[in-house]
Amino acid sequence: MLAKFAVKNFRGFNNRIELDLTRHSNYSFNTFAIKEGIIKNGIIYGPNGSGKTNFGLAIFDIVNHLSQKWKKQDYYVNFTFAGSQDLIVDFEYTFIFNGQTVDYAYGKDFMGILRYEQMNVDGKQVFKRANGILNIDSNEYPMGDAIKHNLADNANNISIVNFLLTSYPLSADNYLIQLNKFVNGMLWFRCLETREFIGLENTITLLDEFIISNNLVPDFKRFLLEISGQKFEFATPVKGDKNLFCVVGRKKIPFTLISSTGTHALELLYFWTKRMSDATFVFIDEFDAFYHFKLAFEVCKLLFGLDCQVFTSSHNTYLMTNDLLRPDCNFIVNDNKIKALCDCTDKELRFGHNIEKLFRGNTFTV
């Protein structure tokens, strides 16, 4: 699981900003949100322009860096703070796999070229590459001087992690194998003017066609009814159909013509829920942009019931309630800082408190 993340000089973050998911309180309610001592579910709030989207994108740099999954095409546009070509963007990750703590840090320039990289496991250095010098644990990863020199030079911008993964036989529980599985299971997506995603998949999928080809039309109908109360009568697909049709009276009308923007967003969510059995860490940016506030609540309950880590960003303070999460799982990002609600006030927060009312009353200060 992801236990901690920090970034510096990324887009709007000129100073180091850190999210520590091991820092949780001992609330006795909604314990599902904490797994193995790590915060599993959370919602990130903040004013417009505070950095909610950028923070989520920063977490997913490791997907661009280590995996071959789908990448956001314009990710490296305005990559460094204020567009400076002189700054190095610093990324720091802490993962916990099978009781082992894996600290992985690296830096990239404005073009996304790797400039340094290091890894520690349980406090012991595995490797460190910086300034054309590579130090590596030769007992665990023996290598010749020529290979070591080429890796230190890094002319082809290869990650030491990916090199070790493909060059050495490793056991299934090895921390590099676990890191590789976790990164390849990460998913970021949003549905605003355009639909975008990072990770988990290798290709773009047409949603209607996915539902039809996987015989999921009845299940999709059930999903829409249960999650939003909407009743659609879908026509039975025939061979070759790639689009969903609804029966209205005696006519067949394309689903896309009679469904709202919010319902289209639900179709995207439905698709990803069918893929999230392979997911490890999910971040949905502005997930409820087109949802009724009560629908957003139901969607959160669905998402937070998944086994993987799931985080969202939102402006919807209706979700800021102890009926859904808890004060250590609701975060505010602002002024280059991110804090849980319980760390933004001296007031002792209890289950019976109206967290949304306290928030609107300016109780919380980042």
Side-chain angles (χ1 to χ4, degrees):
M1 296 179 71
L2 178 65
K4 188 184 298 184
F5 171 76
V7 67
K8 179 182 178 183
N9 294 330
F10 179 79
R11 298 196 174 189
F13 300 119
N14 60 319
N15 297 318
R16 183 178 182 275
I17 179 172
E18 178 185 278
L19 176 65
D20 187 349
L21 298 177
T22 66
R23 184 182 173 87
H24 57 83
S25 300
N26 294 319
Y27 295 109
S28 60
F29 55 93
N30 292 335
T31 55
F32 67 85
I34 310 297
K35 183 179 180 180
E36 299 173 5
I38 298 173
I39 295 175
K40 171 181 170 287
N41 303 120
I43 302 176
I44 298 176
Y45 301 88
N48 292 101
S50 60
K52 298 184 297 297
T53 295
N54 283 343
F55 192 76
L57 287 172
I59 294 174
F60 278 74
D61 188 87
I62 197 170
V63 178
N64 289 308
H65 174 50
L66 293 181
S67 87
Q68 299 301 313
K69 300 297 184 180
W70 190 266
K71 299 171 174 58
K72 197 172 182 293
Q73 303 303 309
D74 61 351
Y75 180 78
Y76 289 108
V77 176
N78 192 31
F79 182 64
T80 58
F81 175 72
S84 173
Q85 297 187 7
D86 300 324
L87 294 174
I88 298 297
V89 185
D90 301 304
F91 297 93
E92 303 171 33
Y93 297 83
T94 296
F95 301 94
I96 297 180
F97 302 125
N98 302 322
Q100 281 189 310
T101 300
V102 178
D103 294 305
Y104 181 49
Y106 59 87
K108 293 181 176 179
D109 65 17
F110 75 103
M111 295 182 64
I113 303 299
L114 196 60
R115 292 305 180 189
Y116 74 85
E117 186 180 17
Q118 64 185 64
M119 175 178 285
N120 291 1
V121 175
D122 290 336
K124 178 185 177 183
Q125 185 179 101
V126 177
F127 66 81
K128 181 178 181 179
R129 177 177 59 191
N131 302 317
I133 299 173
L134 172 63
N135 294 311
I136 190 164
D137 185 342
S138 57
N139 292 321
E140 189 169 5
Y141 302 107
M143 63 178 62
D145 291 340
I147 295 176
K148 198 171 183 179
H149 173 77
N150 289 337
L151 286 173
D153 183 58
N154 195 30
N156 58 348
N157 195 36
I158 189 172
S159 164
I160 297 293
V161 170
N162 282 340
F163 175 79
L164 297 178
L165 278 167
T166 55
S167 303
Y168 291 83
L170 303 171
S171 62
D173 62 350
N174 181 274
Y175 54 87
L176 290 179
I177 297 292
Q178 295 303 309
L179 175 62
N180 183 60
K181 288 174 60 178
F182 189 92
V183 170
N184 279 284
M186 292 176 68
L187 169 67
W188 174 99
F189 75 93
R190 66 179 173 188
C191 181
L192 297 176
E193 292 90 350
T194 58
R195 295 173 175 176
E196 299 178 289
F197 72 97
I198 298 172
L200 198 60
E201 288 286 332
N202 291 311
T203 59
I204 294 176
T205 302
L206 299 176
L207 302 184
D208 281 15
E209 186 175 0
F210 171 82
I211 292 171
I212 292 170
S213 63
N214 287 280
N215 299 314
L216 291 171
V217 176
D219 188 63
F220 180 52
K221 175 182 177 180
R222 174 203 57 77
F223 171 82
L224 290 175
L225 179 61
E226 290 184 0
I227 204 76
S228 67
Q230 297 180 90
K231 298 180 180 179
F232 288 92
E233 190 60 44
F234 289 103
T236 301
V238 297
K239 186 176 181 179
D241 274 356
K242 294 185 177 181
N243 296 293
L244 291 170
F245 286 86
C246 294
V247 178
V248 180
R250 296 183 178 180
K251 294 183 177 180
K252 287 175 59 177
I253 302 177
F255 173 66
T256 186
L257 295 182
I258 62 173
S259 53
S260 68
T261 304
T263 305
H264 283 300
L266 282 176
E267 184 180 18
L268 180 65
L269 175 69
Y270 176 79
F271 165 75
W272 284 121
T273 58
K274 294 302 177 184
R275 298 292 295 111
M276 283 182 192
S277 59
D278 300 323
T280 54
F281 185 97
V282 176
F283 189 100
I284 311 176
D285 188 37
E286 300 286 6
F287 84 103
D288 55 347
F290 301 116
Y291 293 162
H292 183 271
F293 65 95
K294 290 185 178 179
L295 173 58
F297 186 92
E298 293 302 318
V299 168
C300 277
K301 288 203 302 183
L302 171 69
L303 292 171
F304 297 157
L306 299 173
D307 189 53
C308 60
Q309 286 180 282
V310 179
F311 290 79
T312 71
S313 66
S314 179
H315 289 288
N316 182 3
T317 56
Y318 180 79
L319 303 175
M320 198 179 283
T321 169
N322 289 330
D323 291 329
L324 182 63
L325 280 176
R326 31 192 272 177
D328 53 352
C329 297
N330 287 292
F331 301 88
I332 302 174
V333 60
N334 203 16
D335 294 331
N336 214 119
K337 293 176 285 188
I338 184 168
K339 289 185 178 181
L341 291 184
C342 56
D343 295 327
C344 294
T345 179
D346 293 330
K347 185 180 181 68
E348 182 183 354
L349 301 177
R350 301 176 182 175
F351 178 77
H353 281 135
N354 187 324
I355 303 298
E356 180 185 18
K357 184 177 180 180
L358 291 173
F359 176 79
R360 292 176 178 269
N362 297 318
T363 298
F364 306 108
T365 304
V366 179

